[in-house]
Amino acid sequence: MIKKTVLLLVILALASCSSSKPAIATTKKAAAVQARTASVKRNTPAKPIGKNYPSTNNTTEVIQSTSKTVVTSDLVNSYILQYKDIAMGNMQKYGIPASIILAQGILESGAGKGDLAVDANNHFGIKCHKDWLGESVRHDDDAEQECFRKYKEASESYRDHALFLVGKKRYESLFTYEKDDYKAWAKGLRACGYATDPNYPDKLISYIERYNLHQYDCQITGKNYVAINKTAPPRKSSYDVNSDPKINLDSNDPNLYEVQKGDTLYSISKKFNLLVDDLKQKNNLTDNAISIGQRLKVK
């Protein structure tokens, strides 16, 4: 009887030890699951505690031209490095500031990532016009499916941009400004009708000063480049609309009219007994867009 009791206690002790061991997979599938679980636990890195990671200065912005493009400052800098030599070559040959060429390229092409730049190598948003005999693409802009010039290479777009400004009579006044006066050129482009956006000059100037594009003008003119100091008073441009002999902006000048809220070209033309087309021609306007405070020649 005692032997049976002892044997029973030994069996119970062995059973208790067996139940405390971890479960062992009895099928291949279960074994694979166990192996993956163990691997995940071993390979999962510990979460960093109080870790400070370096921040980046690669800022992002949206460029709205013929298409809406999201770009980073790194992308813009890469674009500048890619086309600065072409821009400086065009400045030397045609007299257009390299800074203006690059700023327009950034803005009009979305730093090379806009639809027209990708589909047609068109970096300046130049439309076909009547004298264009090359390839073209259709793209929605001021109107649906407008005709834009298409180039085999981006460099052809840069050359055509220079020829476009040099060859069009309405841009003649631009070439009376100093070759490196980017502020005069930025304002002059808008005044001559290159763009209808009233903020176009400010956008160009912003790109030039943010990305130090004026240094490429100085490389051509031989002048010392001084980086823009944001705390210093702005440098006065040699272009002054109030002293430009072509545009007398005296508030008492009977030949000028300041656009008021609610004005249209049609209402202004009626007020001064003019045809809309005559009013547009007097002011080098290519469409009917006007802005409040804008001065128009009416006589």
Side-chain angles (χ1 to χ4, degrees):
M1 183 67 181
I2 295 174
K3 289 181 179 181
K4 289 182 179 180
T5 302
V6 171
L7 181 61
L8 180 61
L9 289 173
V10 170
I11 293 171
L12 288 173
L14 290 173
S16 175
C17 292
S18 175
S19 64
S20 65
K21 291 181 180 178
I24 299 174
T26 57
T27 65
K28 290 182 178 180
K29 184 175 181 181
V33 170
Q34 273 192 339
R36 285 197 301 270
T37 304
S39 175
V40 169
K41 288 181 179 178
R42 284 196 300 269
N43 295 330
T44 302
K47 292 182 180 180
I49 301 174
K51 180 76 172 177
N52 291 323
Y53 292 96
S55 60
T56 176
N57 292 323
N58 190 22
T59 57
T60 302
E61 66 175 296
V62 177
I63 297 178
Q64 181 70 55
S65 54
T66 50
S67 61
K68 191 174 183 180
T69 313
V70 179
V71 301
T72 63
S73 54
D74 282 353
L75 179 65
V76 175
N77 278 316
S78 295
Y79 181 88
I80 293 165
L81 290 175
Q82 185 174 359
Y83 294 108
K84 64 182 179 63
D85 290 333
I86 296 177
M88 286 191 289
N90 283 0
M91 178 177 181
Q92 201 161 27
K93 186 172 183 179
Y94 300 105
I96 304 164
S99 59
I100 285 291
I101 296 170
L102 288 169
Q104 282 195 282
I106 294 167
L107 180 56
E108 298 287 351
S109 76
K113 298 300 180 182
D115 291 345
L116 276 179
V118 173
D119 297 339
N121 282 316
N122 188 332
H123 284 234
F124 296 92
I126 299 179
K127 297 178 182 178
C128 293
H129 301 286
K130 295 178 181 179
D131 55 346
W132 179 246
L133 302 176
E135 291 186 69
S136 63
V137 294
R138 295 284 172 174
H139 186 80
D140 292 348
D141 192 39
D142 295 326
E144 292 183 359
Q145 294 299 287
E146 290 190 88
C147 182
F148 286 86
R149 301 181 182 190
K150 181 178 181 179
Y151 309 94
K152 292 181 180 179
E153 297 178 0
S155 59
E156 294 180 9
S157 174
Y158 270 74
R159 180 175 179 272
D160 196 39
H161 167 259
L163 295 175
F164 185 79
L165 294 182
V166 170
K168 297 289 183 183
K169 189 174 181 180
R170 65 174 172 166
Y171 297 117
E172 284 181 350
S173 61
L174 294 175
F175 296 90
T176 65
Y177 308 140
E178 291 293 329
K179 188 183 291 187
D180 60 348
D181 190 352
Y182 62 85
K183 290 185 178 180
W185 277 78
K187 295 171 184 177
L189 281 165
R190 165 74 176 104
C192 291
Y194 192 99
T196 57
D197 181 1
N199 296 318
Y200 194 77
D202 292 334
K203 290 178 181 179
L204 294 182
I205 292 169
S206 174
Y207 282 122
I208 291 169
E209 296 184 349
R210 271 192 286 157
Y211 293 97
N212 297 307
L213 302 183
H214 185 49
Q215 63 180 300
Y216 304 117
D217 299 337
C218 293
Q219 289 185 36
I220 299 301
T221 61
K223 296 181 180 178
N224 291 328
Y225 172 67
V226 179
I228 297 296
N229 182 357
K230 296 298 183 182
T231 60
R235 181 175 66 88
K236 185 177 180 181
S237 167
S238 64
Y239 175 85
D240 184 355
V241 293
N242 293 303
S243 61
D244 192 330
K246 304 178 191 67
I247 309 175
N248 181 4
L249 296 184
D250 185 344
S251 59
N252 296 319
D253 190 340
N255 297 318
L256 296 174
Y257 173 76
E258 183 172 335
V259 177
Q260 307 296 315
K261 185 177 181 180
D263 278 340
T264 63
L265 282 183
Y266 179 77
S267 67
I268 296 171
S269 67
K270 289 298 181 184
K271 186 178 294 186
F272 294 96
N273 196 28
L274 291 168
L275 295 174
V276 171
D277 286 343
D278 291 340
L279 188 58
K280 290 169 68 175
Q281 186 176 4
K282 285 177 181 291
N283 293 278
N284 294 318
L285 299 177
T286 57
D287 55 31
N288 296 333
I290 53 176
S291 55
I292 297 173
Q294 183 177 354
R295 302 289 182 87
L296 297 176
K297 295 179 183 178
V298 292
K299 293 183 182 179

